[in-house]
Amino acid sequence: MKGTYLGEFEEIVLLTIGVLQDEAYGAAIKLEIESRTSRTPSIGALHSALSRLEDKGFIDSREGGATKSRGGRRKRFYSITVAGKATLLKANELRNELFNLIPNLSTDGLQ
Amino acid sequence: MKEKWSNPPKWPDKILKWFCADEHLEILQGDLHELYEYRLATQGKRKARLHYIKDSFDMLRPFALKKKKSKLRINSLTMFKNYFKISLRNMRKHKAYASTNILGLSAGISCFLLIFLYVQDELSYDRYHEHANDIYRVITNSFNEGGELNRSFTYTSPMHGQELRESYPQVVSAVRFNPWNFPLIKYKDAQFEESYFNFVEPEIFEIFSFNFIEGRAETALTDPYTVIITESTAKKYFGDDNAYGKTIEVIEQGTSLNYLVTGVVEDFPDQSHMTYNFMASWESYESSASANDLNDYYGNYNYPTYIRLSKEAEIGDLTSLMPAMLDNYIDNIDGFVPSEKIGLTFQKLTDIHLNESAGAGGTSKMYYVNLFSVIGVLVLLIACVNYMNLSTAKYANRLKEIGVRKVMGAKRVNITQQFLAESVVYAFIALVIGFVLSLLALPMINDFSEKQLTLHPFENQGVILVSLGLTALVGLLSGSYPSLFMSKFNAVNALKNGKGKIKNRSIFRTALVVFQFTITIALIIGVTVVDRQISFIRNQDIGFEREQIVNFWASPSINENLEVFKSQLLTNPNIIGSSASSRIPTGRLGDALGAHTFNEKTKEKVGFRLPFILVDADYFEVYDIQLLSGSTLSKELKADTIQNFIINEAAVKGLGWGSPEEAIGQKMEYGWYSGFVSGVIKDFHFESLHSAIEPMLFLQANNNKRAMSVKISGQNIPETLDFLETQFKVYNPDRTFNPSFVDDLFNAQYETEQRLSEISKVFSFLAILIACLGLLGLVAFTMEQRAKEISVRKVLGASVGGILVMINRGYLILIALAFLIAVPLAYYFLSSWLETFAYHIKLSASLFILSGLLSIGIALITISSQALKFAQSNPIKWLRND
């Protein structure tokens, strides 16, 4: 296992894959991230992250879905593994924990 | 807005394909295309294209790049084990092919090894001295009146060495030698005639390197009547005792002197141009030679001289200072400035052996070193070419194997490696066999060349290096073409068709065959020419009778009683005549004095250098030399003041007289003699046929004539020789009688050429053998490919003869081409070799045509032997499986 640290960007990607369910492939993930957050990752950076996530065992891939607009080339669909889900939950928990520990942090006064 | 569809630029795709790993390429490119379409719709064509390009390059991140095949490295050891196993298996399966191939390679390697040994030995002469690179031998050059080089001597006048040593700072040291005339050495019961007795100056140790077994260099040659001997000499005289401090008796010309042994040195190695078994101190010589002798700067060329140059100096600078030195110390010679008549040059020690003429004049040893090196490389090349052709032919049958390998995942590089490995295996086996062959041939070669070459890796470290390098080179070189050729095949085709598609005619392979034949034809031509030249020389009329003439050294005691000795010889019925002279034909014309003739009209002296020999009255009769005009010498020696000179035709021309008749009666001064020309004899070849006939003069004088020539009848030769020995012993009881026959001496002059002829015959035979082996294999392969075609022809009615003709015709064109290339090559090299002889055969067209026909004959037989098998076979056999 190549370490189990989940980077910030990797977390976003992983979450997006969860959101997209069965339609989670490269270009779609990128467009989804762009529309939901205001980040614009390059397709190269995205695939790099996807490759890392796969190496860490957080996502699985399968191939299929060749379309004309891709020149007949297939897509690679990603799905979250059990380990991936566990990591996400842990990360979420950790964040909430820390958040709740900060005194006087309420949403009053913030937009 | 909906833009019209346009394709993304293609070139980023190509770049991506080059770098991207196969597993990712499709996916990534798909995404790129999809995004392009998206942007085309939302942002327009230009932006879409720009982004496409940017994204493509952006995709070149570590995760996407082609991984290095690190797995291959780990596997390669295993793979090579497999390659090795398969090679052996194939060899066993196709024994005939494998043994042909290996035989050819072994022959080539063996040749190369032997030549390497020879060349290595020749190049190593004299290099064992510590200062070898700084040592030079002094050469005296004599010029004639036109300023041209007349002759060179490896001897100098006595003062040259001393002057060089004392007056020239760049000369670290100089040493003079004086070789002596075969003294008799005696110690108690051991008594031998020694031919290598030399006086040397003590400076010899500053120049040459010696290993002392007894005694020390500093003290060995400082006193008079001391001598150093070599190890084997010490053993000869003293057995296992120490030689140091013992006294030996040196007897020469009747005088006997005692010399003290002050040192024993290791024997000179074979690779040394000089071998002096006795080196006596210079002081001993000085006290015996006349004072005049040693003060000469000119003439008296009896002293080999060597110098050692300091490391910073240039030899050219020293050479340019020599004319000044000569002019300084020598008076004008015949009215000429001395430096115009003689000159001194310096020859590098390491060049001496190689520049020595191989034979009596003509080509040098360096020439043969180069020649044999070239031959060695050529023979090896032929063997490699052979391997290339044979293996390519046979690999056609392994297409299935290659197909399977490729399917299992072998890349082209793996296939290449496999066949390279296989050829290295062949090369290695060939090396072992070639090594054995060389070992077997070595004793013969050593006898032949009078060397002591050894293949033993401990004695000759070069052997290991060369052998390994050779294996690698041969293996890789021979394997390069077949392996590249084989790896090209498409696996699928190979498995489908079985035989696969191989071009029957490949330009490269045809070129190889032509190459082999060119060399073979050239060698055949060469051998024929060398052979003819040698028999030409043998049978050339040399102008004197050389059969049945016995020659031996006439000692001073014989000379004193010459007439009595000669008449005593004539009492034997088998002896026809005898003569004493200073030199005999087949020797060199070494002695010369200046001649002066008197111009008719002006009564002026005209100078001319004329070699001479001392003769007695019977000389011309014994050697059957024809007299052209005048008369030969009479038995009574005229008074010393007026001489009767006999000269040859060439001298007549050289001295400027029109005809032999005109020369008679002409007044002449020769050296310190004066007299008239009383006879002219027909030109004859005193020296070897390498040189043209020189003008010469025959002098009758009472001085020592060293050579006795005895003409015998040819019957009862052993008894005649015994008789001669008895007569010899009457005057020289202590000496050994060493007769030789003049015709043997004559043949010895051409020994080198003879040897060359033998060697070239052997090598040519080898080359032809290898080439034929190759041709055999190639034809066999081609036949197999064309088996079906031939069978069909047979069915349609072709005769065996017709088929043979058809097959041979194809190859004949190649041979004709090879012939056209070989002829000019051979012509060029052979004519330059023939030029070294003053008398040589002409390279006639018939010679070339004959060689060509011979080559064609050999080729036809080779080809037909294979073709016949197929032509005679039952066509059903080949057509059955279709």
PDB file of all heavy atoms in Angstrom, chain B residues 615-620 627 631-636 643-646 678 698-701:
ATOM      1  N   VAL B 615      90.503 -12.498 -57.357  1.00  0.00           N
ATOM      2  CA  VAL B 615      90.394 -13.837 -57.935  1.00  0.00           C
ATOM      3  C   VAL B 615      91.771 -14.375 -58.252  1.00  0.00           C
ATOM      4  O   VAL B 615      92.760 -13.647 -58.229  1.00  0.00           O
ATOM      5  CB  VAL B 615      89.559 -13.831 -59.242  1.00  0.00           C
ATOM      6  CG1 VAL B 615      88.156 -13.386 -58.975  1.00  0.00           C
ATOM      7  CG2 VAL B 615      90.221 -12.939 -60.270  1.00  0.00           C
ATOM      8  N   ASP B 616      91.810 -15.673 -58.557  1.00  0.00           N
ATOM      9  CA  ASP B 616      93.050 -16.208 -59.131  1.00  0.00           C
ATOM     10  C   ASP B 616      92.758 -16.617 -60.569  1.00  0.00           C
ATOM     11  O   ASP B 616      91.639 -16.468 -61.057  1.00  0.00           O
ATOM     12  CB  ASP B 616      93.594 -17.365 -58.293  1.00  0.00           C
ATOM     13  CG  ASP B 616      92.641 -18.565 -58.283  1.00  0.00           C
ATOM     14  OD1 ASP B 616      91.710 -18.634 -59.130  1.00  0.00           O
ATOM     15  OD2 ASP B 616      92.813 -19.436 -57.406  1.00  0.00           O
ATOM     16  N   ALA B 617      93.758 -17.126 -61.217  1.00  0.00           N
ATOM     17  CA  ALA B 617      93.657 -17.347 -62.670  1.00  0.00           C
ATOM     18  C   ALA B 617      92.591 -18.356 -63.044  1.00  0.00           C
ATOM     19  O   ALA B 617      92.047 -18.311 -64.145  1.00  0.00           O
ATOM     20  CB  ALA B 617      95.008 -17.778 -63.221  1.00  0.00           C
ATOM     21  N   ASP B 618      92.225 -19.257 -62.136  1.00  0.00           N
ATOM     22  CA  ASP B 618      91.298 -20.335 -62.507  1.00  0.00           C
ATOM     23  C   ASP B 618      89.837 -19.975 -62.309  1.00  0.00           C
ATOM     24  O   ASP B 618      88.951 -20.758 -62.631  1.00  0.00           O
ATOM     25  CB  ASP B 618      91.589 -21.596 -61.663  1.00  0.00           C
ATOM     26  CG  ASP B 618      92.971 -22.139 -61.980  1.00  0.00           C
ATOM     27  OD1 ASP B 618      93.278 -22.205 -63.187  1.00  0.00           O
ATOM     28  OD2 ASP B 618      93.699 -22.460 -61.029  1.00  0.00           O
ATOM     29  N   TYR B 619      89.597 -18.809 -61.762  1.00  0.00           N
ATOM     30  CA  TYR B 619      88.234 -18.458 -61.359  1.00  0.00           C
ATOM     31  C   TYR B 619      87.232 -18.589 -62.484  1.00  0.00           C
ATOM     32  O   TYR B 619      86.170 -19.198 -62.340  1.00  0.00           O
ATOM     33  CB  TYR B 619      88.237 -17.028 -60.800  1.00  0.00           C
ATOM     34  CG  TYR B 619      86.933 -16.595 -60.194  1.00  0.00           C
ATOM     35  CD1 TYR B 619      86.590 -16.980 -58.895  1.00  0.00           C
ATOM     36  CD2 TYR B 619      86.058 -15.781 -60.893  1.00  0.00           C
ATOM     37  CE1 TYR B 619      85.410 -16.567 -58.324  1.00  0.00           C
ATOM     38  CE2 TYR B 619      84.873 -15.370 -60.320  1.00  0.00           C
ATOM     39  CZ  TYR B 619      84.562 -15.759 -59.045  1.00  0.00           C
ATOM     40  OH  TYR B 619      83.381 -15.351 -58.476  1.00  0.00           O
ATOM     41  N   PHE B 620      87.587 -18.018 -63.633  1.00  0.00           N
ATOM     42  CA  PHE B 620      86.592 -17.976 -64.709  1.00  0.00           C
ATOM     43  C   PHE B 620      86.321 -19.356 -65.276  1.00  0.00           C
ATOM     44  O   PHE B 620      85.217 -19.664 -65.718  1.00  0.00           O
ATOM     45  CB  PHE B 620      87.062 -17.032 -65.814  1.00  0.00           C
ATOM     46  CG  PHE B 620      87.261 -15.644 -65.292  1.00  0.00           C
ATOM     47  CD1 PHE B 620      88.533 -15.160 -65.037  1.00  0.00           C
ATOM     48  CD2 PHE B 620      86.172 -14.840 -65.011  1.00  0.00           C
ATOM     49  CE1 PHE B 620      88.713 -13.890 -64.523  1.00  0.00           C
ATOM     50  CE2 PHE B 620      86.351 -13.564 -64.503  1.00  0.00           C
ATOM     51  CZ  PHE B 620      87.628 -13.088 -64.265  1.00  0.00           C
ATOM     52  N   LEU B 627      84.314 -15.410 -71.801  1.00  0.00           N
ATOM     53  CA  LEU B 627      85.160 -14.265 -72.080  1.00  0.00           C
ATOM     54  C   LEU B 627      84.715 -13.635 -73.386  1.00  0.00           C
ATOM     55  O   LEU B 627      84.504 -14.324 -74.384  1.00  0.00           O
ATOM     56  CB  LEU B 627      86.619 -14.742 -72.184  1.00  0.00           C
ATOM     57  CG  LEU B 627      87.661 -13.665 -72.429  1.00  0.00           C
ATOM     58  CD1 LEU B 627      87.844 -12.861 -71.162  1.00  0.00           C
ATOM     59  CD2 LEU B 627      88.975 -14.308 -72.838  1.00  0.00           C
ATOM     60  N   SER B 631      91.992 -11.398 -72.903  1.00  0.00           N
ATOM     61  CA  SER B 631      92.349 -12.696 -72.337  1.00  0.00           C
ATOM     62  C   SER B 631      92.170 -12.662 -70.833  1.00  0.00           C
ATOM     63  O   SER B 631      92.191 -11.607 -70.208  1.00  0.00           O
ATOM     64  CB  SER B 631      93.802 -13.018 -72.692  1.00  0.00           C
ATOM     65  OG  SER B 631      94.630 -11.975 -72.194  1.00  0.00           O
ATOM     66  N   THR B 632      92.007 -13.846 -70.272  1.00  0.00           N
ATOM     67  CA  THR B 632      91.851 -13.910 -68.826  1.00  0.00           C
ATOM     68  C   THR B 632      93.221 -13.890 -68.172  1.00  0.00           C
ATOM     69  O   THR B 632      94.240 -13.841 -68.823  1.00  0.00           O
ATOM     70  CB  THR B 632      91.118 -15.184 -68.396  1.00  0.00           C
ATOM     71  OG1 THR B 632      91.781 -16.292 -68.981  1.00  0.00           O
ATOM     72  CG2 THR B 632      89.684 -15.140 -68.841  1.00  0.00           C
ATOM     73  N   LEU B 633      93.208 -13.947 -66.881  1.00  0.00           N
ATOM     74  CA  LEU B 633      94.459 -13.809 -66.132  1.00  0.00           C
ATOM     75  C   LEU B 633      95.329 -15.031 -66.353  1.00  0.00           C
ATOM     76  O   LEU B 633      94.857 -16.146 -66.471  1.00  0.00           O
ATOM     77  CB  LEU B 633      94.123 -13.675 -64.648  1.00  0.00           C
ATOM     78  CG  LEU B 633      93.184 -12.510 -64.362  1.00  0.00           C
ATOM     79  CD1 LEU B 633      92.626 -12.630 -62.970  1.00  0.00           C
ATOM     80  CD2 LEU B 633      93.927 -11.208 -64.531  1.00  0.00           C
ATOM     81  N   SER B 634      96.590 -14.807 -66.380  1.00  0.00           N
ATOM     82  CA  SER B 634      97.519 -15.922 -66.536  1.00  0.00           C
ATOM     83  C   SER B 634      97.976 -16.379 -65.176  1.00  0.00           C
ATOM     84  O   SER B 634      97.813 -15.694 -64.174  1.00  0.00           O
ATOM     85  CB  SER B 634      98.717 -15.483 -67.383  1.00  0.00           C
ATOM     86  OG  SER B 634      99.401 -14.475 -66.675  1.00  0.00           O
ATOM     87  N   LYS B 635      98.554 -17.506 -65.189  1.00  0.00           N
ATOM     88  CA  LYS B 635      98.921 -18.096 -63.918  1.00  0.00           C
ATOM     89  C   LYS B 635     100.008 -17.315 -63.208  1.00  0.00           C
ATOM     90  O   LYS B 635     100.030 -17.215 -61.994  1.00  0.00           O
ATOM     91  CB  LYS B 635      99.393 -19.549 -64.122  1.00  0.00           C
ATOM     92  CG  LYS B 635      98.248 -20.510 -64.360  1.00  0.00           C
ATOM     93  CD  LYS B 635      98.329 -21.627 -63.311  1.00  0.00           C
ATOM     94  CE  LYS B 635      97.302 -22.714 -63.576  1.00  0.00           C
ATOM     95  NZ  LYS B 635      95.985 -22.344 -63.111  1.00  0.00           N
ATOM     96  N   GLU B 636     100.920 -16.784 -63.963  1.00  0.00           N
ATOM     97  CA  GLU B 636     101.996 -16.053 -63.271  1.00  0.00           C
ATOM     98  C   GLU B 636     101.488 -14.683 -62.915  1.00  0.00           C
ATOM     99  O   GLU B 636     100.912 -13.973 -63.724  1.00  0.00           O
ATOM    100  CB  GLU B 636     103.223 -15.898 -64.175  1.00  0.00           C
ATOM    101  CG  GLU B 636     103.781 -17.214 -64.682  1.00  0.00           C
ATOM    102  CD  GLU B 636     103.354 -17.465 -66.119  1.00  0.00           C
ATOM    103  OE1 GLU B 636     103.231 -16.469 -66.867  1.00  0.00           O
ATOM    104  OE2 GLU B 636     103.100 -18.618 -66.474  1.00  0.00           O
ATOM    105  N   GLN B 643      98.905  -3.993 -63.331  1.00  0.00           N
ATOM    106  CA  GLN B 643      97.847  -4.980 -63.168  1.00  0.00           C
ATOM    107  C   GLN B 643      97.142  -5.258 -64.472  1.00  0.00           C
ATOM    108  O   GLN B 643      97.009  -4.387 -65.309  1.00  0.00           O
ATOM    109  CB  GLN B 643      96.803  -4.439 -62.174  1.00  0.00           C
ATOM    110  CG  GLN B 643      97.135  -4.682 -60.738  1.00  0.00           C
ATOM    111  CD  GLN B 643      96.900  -6.120 -60.349  1.00  0.00           C
ATOM    112  OE1 GLN B 643      96.171  -6.824 -61.029  1.00  0.00           O
ATOM    113  NE2 GLN B 643      97.537  -6.558 -59.290  1.00  0.00           N
ATOM    114  N   ASN B 644      96.678  -6.495 -64.608  1.00  0.00           N
ATOM    115  CA  ASN B 644      95.743  -6.800 -65.704  1.00  0.00           C
ATOM    116  C   ASN B 644      94.355  -6.827 -65.121  1.00  0.00           C
ATOM    117  O   ASN B 644      94.023  -7.690 -64.320  1.00  0.00           O
ATOM    118  CB  ASN B 644      96.054  -8.171 -66.304  1.00  0.00           C
ATOM    119  CG  ASN B 644      97.337  -8.145 -67.085  1.00  0.00           C
ATOM    120  OD1 ASN B 644      97.871  -7.081 -67.350  1.00  0.00           O
ATOM    121  ND2 ASN B 644      97.826  -9.322 -67.440  1.00  0.00           N
ATOM    122  N   PHE B 645      93.550  -5.844 -65.504  1.00  0.00           N
ATOM    123  CA  PHE B 645      92.201  -5.801 -64.964  1.00  0.00           C
ATOM    124  C   PHE B 645      91.246  -6.563 -65.857  1.00  0.00           C
ATOM    125  O   PHE B 645      91.294  -6.437 -67.080  1.00  0.00           O
ATOM    126  CB  PHE B 645      91.702  -4.358 -64.849  1.00  0.00           C
ATOM    127  CG  PHE B 645      92.506  -3.520 -63.904  1.00  0.00           C
ATOM    128  CD1 PHE B 645      93.213  -2.428 -64.370  1.00  0.00           C
ATOM    129  CD2 PHE B 645      92.566  -3.839 -62.555  1.00  0.00           C
ATOM    130  CE1 PHE B 645      93.945  -1.647 -63.499  1.00  0.00           C
ATOM    131  CE2 PHE B 645      93.302  -3.062 -61.685  1.00  0.00           C
ATOM    132  CZ  PHE B 645      93.993  -1.966 -62.154  1.00  0.00           C
ATOM    133  N   ILE B 646      90.392  -7.352 -65.253  1.00  0.00           N
ATOM    134  CA  ILE B 646      89.294  -7.972 -65.992  1.00  0.00           C
ATOM    135  C   ILE B 646      88.016  -7.298 -65.521  1.00  0.00           C
ATOM    136  O   ILE B 646      87.790  -7.142 -64.319  1.00  0.00           O
ATOM    137  CB  ILE B 646      89.177  -9.476 -65.689  1.00  0.00           C
ATOM    138  CG1 ILE B 646      90.530 -10.155 -65.803  1.00  0.00           C
ATOM    139  CG2 ILE B 646      88.134 -10.114 -66.572  1.00  0.00           C
ATOM    140  CD1 ILE B 646      90.883 -10.629 -67.147  1.00  0.00           C
ATOM    141  N   SER B 678      92.662  -5.891 -69.496  1.00  0.00           N
ATOM    142  CA  SER B 678      93.156  -6.935 -70.380  1.00  0.00           C
ATOM    143  C   SER B 678      92.087  -7.926 -70.792  1.00  0.00           C
ATOM    144  O   SER B 678      92.304  -8.752 -71.650  1.00  0.00           O
ATOM    145  CB  SER B 678      94.313  -7.696 -69.709  1.00  0.00           C
ATOM    146  OG  SER B 678      93.820  -8.343 -68.564  1.00  0.00           O
ATOM    147  N   PHE B 698      87.600  -7.629 -61.653  1.00  0.00           N
ATOM    148  CA  PHE B 698      88.253  -8.806 -61.090  1.00  0.00           C
ATOM    149  C   PHE B 698      89.732  -8.517 -60.940  1.00  0.00           C
ATOM    150  O   PHE B 698      90.420  -8.191 -61.911  1.00  0.00           O
ATOM    151  CB  PHE B 698      88.048 -10.013 -62.000  1.00  0.00           C
ATOM    152  CG  PHE B 698      86.596 -10.336 -62.188  1.00  0.00           C
ATOM    153  CD1 PHE B 698      85.854  -9.705 -63.173  1.00  0.00           C
ATOM    154  CD2 PHE B 698      85.975 -11.243 -61.348  1.00  0.00           C
ATOM    155  CE1 PHE B 698      84.515  -9.986 -63.336  1.00  0.00           C
ATOM    156  CE2 PHE B 698      84.625 -11.529 -61.506  1.00  0.00           C
ATOM    157  CZ  PHE B 698      83.895 -10.896 -62.502  1.00  0.00           C
ATOM    158  N   LEU B 699      90.202  -8.671 -59.743  1.00  0.00           N
ATOM    159  CA  LEU B 699      91.569  -8.268 -59.435  1.00  0.00           C
ATOM    160  C   LEU B 699      92.390  -9.478 -59.064  1.00  0.00           C
ATOM    161  O   LEU B 699      91.935 -10.362 -58.340  1.00  0.00           O
ATOM    162  CB  LEU B 699      91.490  -7.325 -58.227  1.00  0.00           C
ATOM    163  CG  LEU B 699      92.600  -6.332 -57.983  1.00  0.00           C
ATOM    164  CD1 LEU B 699      92.763  -5.447 -59.175  1.00  0.00           C
ATOM    165  CD2 LEU B 699      92.230  -5.507 -56.763  1.00  0.00           C
ATOM    166  N   GLN B 700      93.601  -9.533 -59.560  1.00  0.00           N
ATOM    167  CA  GLN B 700      94.445 -10.636 -59.159  1.00  0.00           C
ATOM    168  C   GLN B 700      95.486 -10.090 -58.202  1.00  0.00           C
ATOM    169  O   GLN B 700      96.253  -9.200 -58.542  1.00  0.00           O
ATOM    170  CB  GLN B 700      95.122 -11.211 -60.405  1.00  0.00           C
ATOM    171  CG  GLN B 700      95.804 -12.522 -60.156  1.00  0.00           C
ATOM    172  CD  GLN B 700      96.368 -13.065 -61.440  1.00  0.00           C
ATOM    173  OE1 GLN B 700      96.688 -12.302 -62.340  1.00  0.00           O
ATOM    174  NE2 GLN B 700      96.512 -14.372 -61.522  1.00  0.00           N
ATOM    175  N   ALA B 701      95.464 -10.588 -56.996  1.00  0.00           N
ATOM    176  CA  ALA B 701      96.420 -10.058 -56.012  1.00  0.00           C
ATOM    177  C   ALA B 701      96.734 -11.139 -55.011  1.00  0.00           C
ATOM    178  O   ALA B 701      96.044 -12.151 -54.907  1.00  0.00           O
ATOM    179  CB  ALA B 701      95.826  -8.836 -55.314  1.00  0.00           C
TER     180      ALA B 701
END
